[in-house]
Amino acid sequence: LKKYQEAKRLRPYKTCALMMDMRGRSIRTSHVAEPIVFKEGDVVEIRTDGADITSTREEIQINYFDLPPVMREGDMVIIGDRELRGETKDIARTSFTIEIKAGGVLKSHDIIKIPSNRIQQLPVLMLDDKIDIKESAGKYFFDYIVVPKVLSGRDIQEIRLTLGEQAQELDYRQIDTLEALQNFEGIIKQADGVVILRNELGMELEPEKLMIA
């Protein structure tokens, strides 16, 4: 970052910006030793013991400790690129099980999609995000902050409160869920700009709808 800042100082005529990508409500699996194939009818436990613990066929570790309490039996969970799907069954404080309804392959750091009405119960910024913003955003003069899984203008207001005095200098937004797309106007009114992630929207929209979304 220091080298970037020095290079930018020496070349004021060059257009360049520094972006900080937050974790937000982004939920991912941990590392797997090798891709794991799941078939319809398999049962696997989703656990929050630590994102640094290797996932196995019996237990899939995720990076979001607060997820199990907001899940409900019957919720569909999509893992990876839409092909691996499971239905939520037993729920505990730090874990829940899913029964595979559509088989697929689990890879390292796959994205996990849950129903939008569950996502909105999770904080828009993780504790580590807030620490990074307060300790690094202003110190290293980031031009933009990108927050995933922003669902409404209210989320933007919460981010502004976290940024405090830095809110006037930084830009934050990401459209990567169907609910965010439906609340696009409200998000635009609060944010300075948006990033549209078609690859993640593609997990909720059919290809023909995605092209005109």
Side-chain angles (χ1 to χ4, degrees):
L1 289 176
K2 291 181 179 179
K3 290 182 178 179
Y4 160 79
Q5 291 167 355
E6 179 63 14
K8 186 175 181 180
R9 185 185 67 81
L10 295 173
R11 300 168 180 82
Y13 51 89
K14 294 287 187 179
T15 300
C16 191
L18 197 60
M19 181 180 75
M20 177 181 282
D21 197 358
M22 298 285 95
R23 301 170 185 82
R25 295 170 170 136
S26 181
I27 305 169
R28 288 183 178 272
T29 64
S30 69
H31 172 77
V32 295
E34 59 182 9
I36 302 173
V37 178
F38 288 97
K39 297 180 180 179
E40 182 178 351
D42 288 347
V43 176
V44 60
E45 188 174 18
I46 307 294
R47 298 196 57 84
T48 59
D49 300 321
D52 56 339
I53 300 175
T54 300
S55 292
T56 65
R57 180 176 297 279
E58 292 76 28
E59 297 180 352
I60 298 176
Q61 298 288 340
I62 61 173
N63 65 337
Y64 215 110
F65 182 79
D66 295 324
L67 182 60
V70 307
M71 296 298 289
R72 297 293 181 269
E73 289 189 18
D75 284 347
M76 290 302 296
V77 177
I78 304 173
I79 303 176
D81 53 1
R82 293 185 65 182
E83 63 175 16
L84 182 54
R85 297 168 178 257
E87 180 180 346
T88 303
K89 296 295 183 182
D90 300 324
I91 303 170
R93 186 174 63 86
T94 60
S95 66
F96 59 94
T97 60
I98 61 172
E99 180 182 345
I100 303 300
K101 296 298 183 180
V105 180
L106 173 70
K107 301 180 291 295
S108 294
H109 312 298
D110 268 344
I111 294 173
I112 288 186
K113 301 282 284 189
I114 62 174
S116 294
N117 60 337
R118 304 294 178 227
I119 294 177
Q120 66 185 3
Q121 297 179 50
L122 302 174
V124 66
L125 291 172
M126 298 179 72
L127 177 60
D128 288 344
D129 289 331
K130 295 180 179 181
I131 293 174
D132 288 343
I133 287 174
K134 292 184 177 180
E135 294 185 354
S136 302
K139 179 180 179 180
Y140 294 109
F141 304 101
F142 280 89
D143 301 288
Y144 300 97
I145 285 184
V146 176
V147 180
K149 302 297 182 293
V150 169
L151 303 180
S152 66
R154 183 178 298 177
D155 287 342
I156 302 293
Q157 294 173 352
E158 182 179 338
I159 297 168
R160 287 184 186 276
L161 289 175
T162 301
L163 289 171
E165 296 178 355
Q166 299 168 353
Q168 300 302 319
E169 305 174 6
L170 300 168
D171 185 13
Y172 25 79
R173 59 292 175 265
Q174 198 167 104
I175 305 298
D176 51 7
T177 67
L178 184 57
E179 185 168 347
L181 191 62
Q182 293 168 341
N183 294 329
F184 188 78
E185 293 295 332
I187 293 174
I188 282 292
K189 289 179 181 178
Q190 296 290 337
D192 298 317
V194 298
V195 174
I196 298 178
L197 296 187
R198 289 182 179 272
N199 61 323
E200 293 202 25
L201 282 173
M203 296 175 69
E204 298 186 60
L205 288 173
E206 298 301 323
E208 60 271 19
K209 294 181 180 180
L210 179 62
M211 296 305 295
I212 58 175

